[in-house]
Amino acid sequence: MTIFKKIIDHEIPADIVYEDDLCLAFRDINPQAPVHVLVIPKKEITAVDALTETDKDLVGHIFLVLQKLAKELGLSDGFRVVTNNGLAAGQTVPHLHFHLLGGRAMGWPPG
Ligand code: AMP
């Protein structure tokens, strides 16, 4: 069981900013920007490379939640959505998650 599953089950605390039947959003414990929220599906999916056809609506829903949170959290100047897939990309928690980052200028390319 991952730490994110424990957050979904409310077994460990998190600063939750949004929750519905399909997903959960909470502030990253080690923020990399003034706004750094993670949006995760409640379904246990390890990463992008584990997605299947049955997850299409779920992923679409998560992106609309990302859009809504970006508005609510005041990121009208711009924001970044990041998902790391696998060790080489820096994924540390094997539960699919989308980083919503904003509130500062972002460099490109990412590291
Ligand atoms: P990644 O490196 O893409 O797998 O991202 C995992 C993220 O989860 C990191 O940015 C961590 O800071 C964050 N994180 C790990 N544990 C927690 C936690 N208990 N609550 C909130 N964020 C966490």
Side-chain angles (χ1 to χ4, degrees):
M1 179 185 283
T2 69
I3 193 149
F4 288 179
K5 176 63 174 158
K6 290 181 182 168
I7 291 174
I8 291 165
D9 292 341
H10 297 277
E11 282 177 17
I12 63 166
D15 187 355
I16 294 171
V17 296
Y18 177 84
E19 179 169 12
D20 64 26
D21 290 350
L22 296 175
C23 69
L24 186 67
F26 52 94
R27 292 190 191 272
D28 197 292
I29 205 167
N30 182 23
Q32 301 302 312
V35 173
H36 187 173
V37 165
L38 302 173
V39 183
I40 69 174
K42 289 189 170 175
K43 179 178 175 185
E44 287 189 275
I45 300 169
T46 54
V48 169
D49 63 9
L51 288 166
T52 68
E53 285 285 321
T54 58
D55 300 317
K56 281 195 297 195
D57 287 351
L58 173 61
V59 174
H61 175 74
I62 286 173
F63 268 81
L64 291 177
V65 169
L66 286 159
Q67 178 198 65
K68 170 184 151 67
L69 288 173
K71 278 186 194 142
E72 287 179 5
L73 297 171
L75 305 181
S76 54
D77 285 350
F79 58 88
R80 185 170 288 172
V81 175
V82 174
T83 185
N84 296 319
N85 187 105
L87 288 179
Q91 185 177 7
T92 57
V93 180
H95 183 116
L96 180 66
H97 50 282
F98 297 88
H99 298 256
L100 173 63
L101 296 147
R104 65 165 171 82
M106 300 282 163
W108 193 263

